[in-house]
Amino acid sequence: MFAVQLGLYFFSSGLTTWLAMLALLPVQVSCGAICHNHHHVNTFVRRPLNRLFEVVLYLQTGTSPLSWTLHHNIGHHKLYLDPHKDPSPWQMADGSLMPRWRYVLVNTLMVYPEIHRIGQQHRLLYQRFLRLLVLANIPLVAALLHDPRNALILFVLPMVAMLFMLLDNTYGQHAGTGFEDHFQASRNVELKRYNLPSWNLGYHTAHHMLPGLHWSKLPTLHAQIRHRIPDHLITDNILLQWEPGRQQRQQQECSP
């Protein structure tokens, strides 16, 4: 993906650049899932290779090295059952369901401020994050100086778009569920056409139960706990779009 971006950056122009950027967005969504899984279980044994890989992923997803470790691993995973502490809360102040558009807009804008807030309790990790943030932006700044137009189209705009898409997917996975336990708090997709490009993120309850489990083992864990997940939290909508009214009716039908 990065090689394609570079090829387009140096050799494309005009409408071709815009069309190529739009065509690559679905692939970059899959890169976002890779970035997520990588922050849970690093891809490489050697730390420098992992940080380099995260720089490459940053130029596709907008999530810089160690950013997801702070915001997602330490923040969301530890606190998603507490709506008052989750760095990506889906409830309004009065406890009502936050509209999807508002959740995506607010929480996308708050990703890096939340990283700063969480980082105050993890100073050493936060300092490493800041150093890597500077390093990760060096190639981006260089690209902007060399060819501002192509850098904006092929890197900056997709990076911002991926953050919005990431939060939209998170809303679909969690909003309108429950806070009682892992089995009540995540929406799952069992379809292969969702789990192949998302690297098994559809098995989301299993992922939250054991976030350090390698993504390839999530289907097995999901099969073991499937009977404990309420039926209304298994969806066949690959965009994780759902209607609150329909959700409530399904919950009532599933209640004894």
Side-chain angles (χ1 to χ4, degrees), residues 36 49 59 68 82-83 91 118 120 127 141 171-172 183 195 202 239-240 250-251:
H36 166 273
L49 289 177
L59 297 173
W68 234 219
D82 187 338
Q91 284 187 335
I118 296 169
Q120 304 314 299
Q127 289 170 8
V141 172
Y171 184 91
F183 302 105
N195 285 300
L239 296 180
L240 286 166
Q250 289 176 324
Q251 287 178 306

Side-chain angles (χ1 to χ4, degrees), residues 38-58:
H38 166 80
H39 276 85
H40 280 291
V41 183
N42 280 180
T43 305
F44 301 100
V45 174
R46 295 185 181 277
R47 181 182 292 179
L49 289 177
N50 287 313
R51 301 297 83 84
L52 177 62
F53 188 42
E54 289 163 19
V55 170
V56 174
L57 287 170
Y58 171 56

Side-chain angles (χ1 to χ4, degrees), residues 79-154:
L79 302 170
Y80 87 116
L81 294 179
D82 187 338
H84 301 293
K85 295 180 180 179
D86 188 350
S88 302
W90 52 262
Q91 284 187 335
M92 304 286 283
D94 61 1
S96 62
L97 179 68
M98 186 181 294
R100 194 174 193 124
W101 69 266
R102 179 167 180 168
Y103 174 92
V104 173
L105 178 61
V106 171
N107 286 294
T108 298
L109 295 175
M110 289 300 296
V111 164
Y112 282 93
E114 281 294 315
I115 289 172
H116 172 75
R117 181 185 64 81
I118 296 169
Q120 304 314 299
Q121 285 83 50
H122 305 272
R123 301 295 299 185
L124 292 178
L125 181 61
Y126 184 62
Q127 289 170 8
R128 289 176 56 207
F129 157 78
L130 290 176
R131 290 194 297 268
L132 289 166
L133 180 63
V134 172
L135 292 174
N137 277 289
I138 290 176
L140 183 60
V141 172
L144 285 165
L145 291 174
H146 178 263
D147 188 339
R149 181 183 177 279
N150 273 11
L152 179 67
I153 297 172
L154 293 168

Side-chain angles (χ1 to χ4, degrees), residues 7-248:
L8 290 167
Y9 172 79
F10 286 111
F11 302 111
S12 71
S13 62
L15 183 61
T16 301
T17 308
W18 284 100
L19 293 176
M21 181 270 286
L22 294 173
L24 290 175
L25 285 179
V27 183
Q28 288 179 275
V29 172
S30 186
C31 293
I34 291 172
C35 186
H36 166 273
N37 289 344
H38 166 80
H39 276 85
H40 280 291
V41 183
N42 280 180
T43 305
F44 301 100
V45 174
R46 295 185 181 277
R47 181 182 292 179
L49 289 177
N50 287 313
R51 301 297 83 84
L52 177 62
F53 188 42
E54 289 163 19
V55 170
V56 174
L57 287 170
Y58 171 56
L59 297 173
Q60 297 159 26
T61 67
T63 53
S64 66
L66 298 182
S67 61
W68 234 219
T69 304
L70 285 161
H71 186 283
H72 184 75
N73 297 14
I74 295 174
H76 175 65
H77 268 272
K78 288 188 176 181
L79 302 170
Y80 87 116
L81 294 179
D82 187 338
H84 301 293
K85 295 180 180 179
D86 188 350
S88 302
W90 52 262
Q91 284 187 335
M92 304 286 283
D94 61 1
S96 62
L97 179 68
M98 186 181 294
R100 194 174 193 124
W101 69 266
R102 179 167 180 168
Y103 174 92
V104 173
L105 178 61
V106 171
N107 286 294
T108 298
L109 295 175
M110 289 300 296
V111 164
Y112 282 93
E114 281 294 315
I115 289 172
H116 172 75
R117 181 185 64 81
I118 296 169
Q120 304 314 299
Q121 285 83 50
H122 305 272
R123 301 295 299 185
L124 292 178
L125 181 61
Y126 184 62
Q127 289 170 8
R128 289 176 56 207
F129 157 78
L130 290 176
R131 290 194 297 268
L132 289 166
L133 180 63
V134 172
L135 292 174
N137 277 289
I138 290 176
L140 183 60
V141 172
L144 285 165
L145 291 174
H146 178 263
D147 188 339
R149 181 183 177 279
N150 273 11
L152 179 67
I153 297 172
L154 293 168
F155 292 106
V156 177
L157 291 180
M159 288 165 70
V160 175
M162 285 304 107
L163 287 176
F164 278 99
M165 292 182 186
L166 172 69
L167 269 298
D168 180 77
N169 192 65
T170 304
Y171 184 91
Q173 290 167 335
H174 294 293
T177 59
F179 300 110
E180 298 86 349
D181 54 40
H182 292 306
F183 302 105
Q184 311 291 328
S186 296
R187 203 167 276 106
N188 297 267
V189 184
E190 297 174 327
L191 302 175
K192 285 187 178 180
R193 64 178 180 271
Y194 180 88
N195 285 300
L196 285 175
S198 73
W199 305 86
N200 287 339
L201 280 183
Y203 305 111
H204 213 65
T205 298
H207 171 61
H208 269 276
M209 286 189 66
L210 292 176
L213 186 68
H214 193 268
W215 62 267
S216 62
K217 298 180 180 180
L218 289 174
T220 300
L221 178 58
H222 175 79
Q224 294 171 353
I225 63 173
R226 174 64 173 79
H227 65 287
R228 300 188 62 181
I229 302 173
D231 288 340
H232 68 272
L233 294 182
I234 305 292
T235 179
D236 59 0
N237 189 315
I238 62 172
L239 296 180
L240 286 166
Q241 301 283 340
W242 48 272
E243 300 175 8
R246 182 183 178 186
Q247 166 101 3
Q248 292 172 359

